[in-house]
């Protein structure tokens, strides 16, 4: 029995998470934890929401809400989505908790006392227009390496390079758009360079790490580690425990404190259990094993910075054993990023599909060694042709045939012939392969070997042809069904870490009242008792039907916020409106002057048709269209949900080809019951609601169903 710490990267509480995030962190961490719990290891799985940092403050400023309001909203959403996905943390915490803050400040003070933190004056980008420094995401510009146009001051999210803000080409303030100037400021520095030798020695025996993780880490060590500032000129975060008024306007850098959360959350878990001393069993026992589940953009924070913090803070602490960082899951070749409002959002996926379907595809297509691609057709196909057709069908056939022909109970096994014995041996062989792969965090291979057991089951079932055997040799037929149900039982156990909900259903259908997740991993090898009553229910999995891209895909409707409203210089009924779409700002002309005052429009979230051919309206260029319902009486804006991120997709495809106004007019969009809005297509055969995540877009002022929207 080993003590295992499963440490899961802290998602920013700055917006909903997407499938790419889940497949690099929550899902593999949960599979790994479930497997080790079944093996009898003592697992402590911790993590939570990262409440601080510039992703949260930038978004909060855009929405005009305090950062804690935004962070609390998304922390609650993350916690809900994690539970829906069946991901079982021992503690899903957050970094705004006072106990985390206190522990972080204590670690900071200890490191400083040991000479690993000192204060230095450095030059930071400063925006004169807004009279503020520009930490991390507040400065944007072109990446000097890959020339991505919207790289941020701390990191280029396109190529993953960590950046010094002065390296950016054409840098600008994210808020004011002005080029920053250098200004001196005082910050606390972590002496990472002092850990060059200890880290090199520590890395030397990490040959079991994934190759991209090892290569990336070694490249950093070869370049030579630099001391790094670990405070920021920002007001949201953990206060710097240093005397002097200049520190009041600074906070501890989010990456310095969030990684400490693995230790502080472990303490918190045992504190809540009433035995705080037990935390030491995970953190001071050299036999304890620590695994960190993260995405590739966070590698060095976990392979170098965090181990250095641990070494500096207390040399007896357990260091990471493995850091199976995942590459990215891309959609249409682009990295999914919560910061940029793209992606396949968890709240939306969880509303449309079962958690096991999402977990299955996420694992079967997990970007373990190289980036993978999220593709809707592939998502449907893998679920339908593997999870459903191989696993779901096999167990359903065995269950329904036994129920129908053997009085709803497990038939007895009589004489086992060679094929029967071979099938029983297959259980053990596949079970071993699944376990071996899981030990090394090879999740894709582990899942493939588990499905292979169902595949072999189907081959066996077909070869036995029980539908013939039941008439010619009832005892042999009973044996074949017994073996098939035994294989189904084994599948419920070996699939439990991957698809926990369907394993519970299957376990129950096989006649067990116990919890399959409480079974030991070795239970997969046990036989099923003859005579046990079966409880055959619905098939385990539903077929996924993805509509072929229809008319709706030709539109690109996103959430925008009105940031400026001016009178049109040449037209009495028109406004010139500026909308913020999250990653771009557009100017467009709208005929709403008779229906809304400037004050009523300013700050409102609206639905913007983004792929309308730009045009000049009475001399003013208009790039896009604010959608609204209109009848003879009035005009009503479409209102996305209050918490919708700017730039979030409401309908259609981001970057869809441009439409002329007359092409757009062929599509029918109408008000529906409950102030909802639906897209009906050109032929009115479709009915796709306007939505963001799981929430509907509603029409302002109340219009009767059928009112046209344009
Ligand atoms: Zn500024
Ligand atoms: Zn780059």
């Amino acid at each position: 029995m080993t003590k295992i710490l499963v440490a899961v990267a802290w998602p920013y509480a700055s917006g909903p998470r997407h499938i790419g995030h889940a497949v690099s962190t929550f899902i593999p961490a949960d599979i790994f934890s479930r497997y080790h719990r079944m093996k009898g290891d003592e697992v402590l799985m911790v993590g939570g929401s990262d409440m601080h940092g510039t992703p949260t403050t930038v978004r909060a400023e855009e929405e005009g809400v305090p950062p804690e309001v935004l962070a609390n909203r998304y922390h609650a959403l993350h916690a809900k989505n994690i539970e829906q996905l069946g991901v079982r943390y021992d503690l899903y915490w957050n970094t705004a908790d006072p106990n985390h803050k206190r522990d972080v400040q204590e670690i900071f003070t200890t490191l400083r006392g040991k000479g690993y933190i000192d204060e230095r004056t450095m030059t930071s980008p400063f925006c004169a227009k807004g009279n503020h420094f520009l930490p991390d995401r507040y400065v944007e510009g072109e990446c000097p390496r890959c020339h991505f146009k919207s790289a941020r001051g701390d990191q280029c999210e396109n190529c993953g390079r960590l950046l010094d803000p002065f390296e950016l080409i054409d840098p600008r303030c994210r808020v004011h758009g002005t080029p920053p100037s250098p200004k001196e400021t005082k910050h606390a520095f972590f002496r990472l360079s002092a850990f060059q030798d200890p880290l090199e020695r520590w890395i030397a025996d990490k040959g079991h790490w994934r190759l991209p993780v090892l290569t990336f880490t070694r490249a950093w060590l070869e370049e030579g580690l630099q001391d790094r500032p670990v405070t920021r000129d920002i007001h949201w975060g953990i206060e710097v425990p240093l005397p002097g008024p200049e520190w009041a306007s600074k906070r501890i850098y989010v990456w310095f404190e969030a990684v400490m959360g693995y230790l502080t959350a472990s303490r918190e878990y045992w504190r809540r259990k009433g035995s705080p001393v037990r935390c030491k069993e995970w953190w001071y026992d050299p036999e304890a094993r620590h695994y960190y589940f993260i995405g590739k953009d966070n590698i060095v924070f976990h392979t170098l910075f965090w181990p250095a913090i641990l070494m500096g803070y207390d040399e007896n602490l357990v260091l990471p054993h493995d850091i199976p960082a995942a590459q990215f899951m891309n959609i249409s070749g682009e990295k999914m990023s919560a910061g940029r409002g793209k992606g396949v959002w968890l709240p939306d996926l969880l509303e449309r599909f079962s958690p096991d379907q999402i977990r299955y595809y996420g694992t079967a297509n997990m970007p373990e060694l190289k980036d993978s691609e999220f593709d809707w057709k592939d998502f449907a196909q893998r679920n339908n042709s593997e999870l459903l057709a191989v696993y779901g069908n096999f167990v359903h056939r065995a269950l329904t045939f036994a129920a129908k022909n053997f009085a709803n109970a497990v038939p007895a096994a009589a004489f086992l012939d060679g094929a029967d014995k071979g099938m029983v041996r297959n259980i053990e062989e596949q079970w071993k392969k699944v376990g071996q792969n899981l030990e090394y965090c090879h999740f894709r291979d582990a899942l493939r070997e588990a499905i292979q057991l169902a595949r072999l089951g189907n081959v066996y079932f077909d070869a036995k042809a029980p539908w013939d055997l039941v008439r010619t040799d009832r005892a042999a037929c009973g044996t074949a069904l017994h073996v098939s149900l035994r294989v189904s039982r084994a599948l419920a156990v070996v699939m439990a870490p991957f698809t926990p909900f369907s394993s519970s259903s299957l376990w129950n259908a096989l006649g067990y009242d116990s919890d399959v997740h409480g079974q030991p991993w070795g239970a997969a090898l046990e036989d099923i008792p003859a005579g046990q009553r079966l409880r055959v229910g619905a098939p385990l999995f539903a077929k996924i039907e993805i509509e072929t891209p229809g008319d709706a895909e030709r539109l690109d409707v996103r959430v925008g916020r009105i940031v400026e409203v001016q009178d049109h210089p040449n037209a009495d009924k028109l406004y010139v409106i500026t909308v913020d779409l999250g990653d771009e700002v557009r100017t467009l002309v709208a005929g709403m002057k008779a229906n809304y005052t400037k004050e009523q429009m300013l700050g409102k979230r609206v639905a913007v048709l983004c792929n309308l051919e730009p045009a000049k309206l009475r001399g003013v260029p208009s790039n896009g269209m604010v959608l609204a319902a209109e009848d003879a009486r009035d005009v009503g804006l479409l209102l996305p949900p209050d918490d919708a991120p700017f730039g979030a997709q409401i309908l259609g495809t981001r970057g869809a080809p441009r439409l002329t106004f007359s092409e757009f007019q062929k599509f029918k969009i109408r008000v529906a019951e409950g102030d909802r809005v639906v897209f009906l297509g050109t032929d009115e055969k479709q009915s796709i609601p306007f939505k963001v995540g799981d929430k509907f877009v509603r029409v302002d002022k109340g219009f009767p169903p059928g009112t046209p929207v344009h």
Side-chain angles (χ1 to χ4, degrees):
M1 204 160 72
T2 313
K3 298 272 196 297
I4 293 182
L5 178 78
V6 174
V8 194
W10 299 66
Y12 281 125
S14 61
R17 293 296 104 178
H18 46 71
I19 178 86
H21 193 97
V23 301
S24 61
T25 60
F26 311 142
I27 293 174
D30 187 60
I31 295 170
F32 192 74
S33 295
R34 286 176 179 274
Y35 165 69
H36 278 283
R37 288 188 196 113
M38 291 174 88
K39 261 187 71 192
D41 292 325
E42 281 197 80
V43 175
L44 179 59
M45 174 165 158
V46 295
S49 304
D50 185 342
M51 308 292 269
H52 300 137
T54 55
T56 301
T57 55
V58 165
R59 174 68 69 84
E61 277 169 28
E62 287 172 347
E63 295 195 13
V65 298
E68 58 266 39
V69 169
L70 187 100
N72 285 331
R73 181 204 303 162
Y74 288 113
H75 171 58
L77 181 67
H78 296 350
K80 178 180 155 200
N81 290 163
I82 283 164
E83 196 190 328
Q84 288 171 314
L85 259 183
V87 172
R88 286 199 313 191
Y89 280 81
D90 293 295
L91 176 62
Y92 187 79
W93 207 26
N94 75 73
T95 58
D97 191 284
N99 287 341
H100 173 70
K101 288 193 181 191
R102 190 199 53 228
D103 284 5
V104 163
Q105 290 177 333
E106 185 267 318
I107 295 169
F108 185 99
T109 305
T110 302
L111 287 169
R112 185 162 176 271
K114 293 184 172 187
Y116 295 123
I117 287 180
D118 55 26
E119 291 102 62
R120 304 177 196 183
T121 299
M122 64 181 286
T123 309
S124 283
F126 185 81
C127 165
K129 188 168 180 195
N131 191 33
H132 61 148
F133 279 102
L134 302 177
D136 307 323
R137 292 191 184 197
Y138 279 93
V139 55
E140 281 193 342
E142 186 179 325
C143 171
R145 180 159 89 181
C146 73
H147 298 283
F148 179 60
K149 293 283 182 204
S150 306
R152 302 178 303 226
D154 53 345
Q155 187 168 28
C156 169
E157 74 170 12
N158 190 50
C159 70
R161 183 189 171 108
L162 295 191
L163 294 167
D164 180 309
F166 292 108
E167 289 179 82
L168 290 172
I169 302 164
D170 292 332
R172 60 196 176 270
C173 168
R174 201 183 187 284
V175 182
H176 301 99
T178 43
S181 52
K183 187 175 173 175
E184 288 203 329
T185 177
K186 202 167 158 188
H187 280 296
F189 275 67
F190 179 57
R191 289 186 47 225
L192 188 61
S193 62
F195 297 92
Q196 177 87 30
D197 292 343
L199 285 169
E200 277 177 9
R201 281 196 299 277
W202 176 67
I203 290 287
D205 67 350
K206 297 296 179 283
H208 58 282
W209 285 10
R210 287 181 180 170
L211 194 60
V213 179
L214 204 51
T215 310
F216 196 64
T217 305
R218 282 187 179 141
W220 264 69
L221 284 167
E222 273 157 32
E223 248 183 67
L225 299 178
Q226 308 284 321
D227 298 344
R228 301 184 72 89
V230 291
T231 50
R232 291 290 188 272
D233 290 288
I234 193 172
H235 290 278
W236 174 238
I238 297 181
E239 294 80 4
V240 185
L242 287 174
E246 73 267 37
W247 297 102
S249 62
K250 300 172 200 287
R251 294 292 180 270
I252 296 177
Y253 178 40
V254 64
W255 266 108
F256 197 56
E257 52 104 344
V259 288
M260 294 178 192
Y262 304 121
L263 176 59
T264 65
S266 305
R267 286 177 180 167
E268 176 72 7
Y269 174 79
W270 284 112
R271 197 181 286 133
R272 290 185 189 183
K273 287 269 163 189
S275 36
V277 68
R278 288 208 61 196
C279 178
K280 288 195 157 53
E281 295 172 28
W282 273 263
W283 282 93
Y284 287 90
D285 178 354
E287 298 297 310
R289 296 218 153 172
H290 292 192
Y291 292 81
Y292 290 77
F293 290 88
I294 63 167
K296 72 172 167 186
D297 46 346
N298 300 335
I299 288 176
V300 290
F301 292 111
H302 291 83
T303 61
L304 296 172
F305 298 3
W306 176 229
I309 294 169
L310 286 170
M311 288 173 180
Y313 173 56
D314 182 343
E315 60 188 12
N316 296 315
L317 284 165
V318 175
L319 298 174
H321 172 70
D322 199 0
I323 303 165
Q327 308 295 302
F328 291 143
M329 180 178 268
N330 302 304
I331 181 159
S332 328
E334 260 182 300
K335 185 205 157 193
M336 284 186 224
S337 159
R340 295 191 184 277
K342 294 171 194 168
V344 181
W345 305 102
L346 283 179
D348 190 29
L349 284 172
L350 283 161
E351 193 203 357
R352 293 175 65 189
F353 307 103
S354 79
D356 281 356
Q357 290 173 324
I358 299 166
R359 291 173 67 116
Y360 180 78
Y361 181 73
T363 310
N365 195 21
M366 197 171 274
E368 290 176 352
L369 296 174
K370 56 182 194 327
D371 286 3
S372 68
E373 194 80 19
F374 182 94
D375 178 83
W376 282 110
K377 256 164 64 190
D378 192 38
F379 176 76
Q381 209 216 321
R382 297 202 78 149
N383 267 295
N384 295 343
S385 68
E386 296 170 13
L387 192 63
L388 188 155
V390 178
Y391 172 34
N393 266 3
F394 168 69
V395 299
H396 198 66
R397 286 205 292 170
L399 278 164
T400 48
F401 196 90
K404 189 164 162 235
N405 296 286
F406 293 88
N408 215 21
V410 179
F415 169 76
L416 294 193
D417 68 13
D420 302 324
K421 284 180 186 158
M423 190 64 235
V424 173
R425 269 199 308 278
N426 283 333
I427 296 176
E428 184 164 359
E429 271 171 34
Q430 292 311 117
W431 169 83
K432 250 189 218 155
K433 288 179 190 169
V434 175
Q436 279 162 357
N437 278 299
L438 286 178
E439 292 289 336
Y440 292 98
C441 299
H442 297 164
F443 300 104
R444 283 173 85 133
D445 287 350
L447 179 58
R448 208 185 50 232
E449 298 294 359
I451 292 293
Q452 179 64 13
L453 177 58
R455 235 180 258 285
L456 294 167
N458 276 317
V459 172
Y460 167 81
F461 198 85
D462 289 342
K464 284 283 173 181
W467 47 90
D468 290 334
L469 218 48
V470 74
R471 282 178 274 112
T472 57
D473 186 344
R474 196 172 161 81
C477 181
T479 303
L481 263 302
H482 184 96
V483 170
S484 297
L485 291 169
R486 180 173 175 173
V487 173
S488 304
R489 184 188 186 284
L491 281 166
V493 175
V494 299
M495 288 298 283
F498 304 99
T499 47
F501 297 94
S502 46
S503 271
S504 293
S505 309
L506 174 55
W507 192 248
N508 187 259
L510 290 165
Y512 293 99
D513 294 318
S514 55
D515 179 7
V516 68
H517 302 290
Q519 297 300 309
W521 183 242
L525 306 181
E526 287 165 23
D527 201 355
I528 188 166
Q532 178 157 290
R533 305 293 300 168
L534 299 172
R535 288 184 289 235
V536 183
L540 290 184
F541 306 104
K543 193 171 178 207
I544 295 178
E545 311 267 9
I546 300 286
E547 296 143 30
T548 46
D551 292 343
E553 301 307 312
R554 297 184 56 199
L555 267 53
D556 179 0
V557 181
R558 296 181 225 160
V559 178
R561 187 178 61 140
I562 298 178
V563 292
E564 206 178 327
V565 185
Q566 288 179 335
D567 294 325
H568 192 292
N570 314 318
D572 291 344
K573 292 179 182 163
L574 301 181
Y575 281 134
V576 180
I577 293 175
T578 309
V579 289
D580 180 354
L581 292 161
D583 55 358
E584 63 173 312
V585 171
R586 291 198 190 183
T587 303
L588 40 86
V589 173
M592 297 175 182
K593 209 162 162 178
N595 316 94
Y596 284 95
T597 66
K598 284 179 193 167
E599 292 69 31
Q600 284 170 330
M601 296 197 79
L602 201 62
K604 263 205 167 66
R605 275 186 171 66
V606 289
V608 181
L609 175 68
C610 294
N611 65 327
L612 193 64
E613 193 74 49
K616 267 193 181 169
L617 297 179
R618 307 283 292 267
V620 174
S622 181
N623 185 10
M625 186 166 135
V626 174
L627 295 177
E630 182 173 11
D631 61 13
R633 172 180 63 90
D634 204 352
V635 167
L637 289 166
L638 305 195
L639 304 177
D642 288 341
D643 57 355
F646 306 141
Q649 206 72 28
I650 295 175
L651 187 86
T653 316
R654 196 182 180 84
R658 279 179 177 166
L659 297 172
T660 63
F661 187 67
S662 62
E663 281 171 324
F664 169 66
Q665 279 186 310
K666 290 181 190 143
F667 300 113
K668 293 194 173 61
I669 304 172
R670 295 286 181 266
V671 174
E673 295 294 337
D675 291 333
R676 292 178 186 179
V677 178
V678 292
F679 174 85
L680 302 174
T682 50
D683 50 7
E684 304 198 25
K685 281 183 182 159
Q686 303 171 65
S687 177
I688 303 171
F690 276 45
K691 279 166 79 173
V692 179
D694 55 357
K695 293 182 186 160
F696 292 97
V697 170
R698 294 182 193 277
V699 66
D700 197 12
K701 299 179 182 175
F703 284 82
T707 308
V709 171
H710 48 75

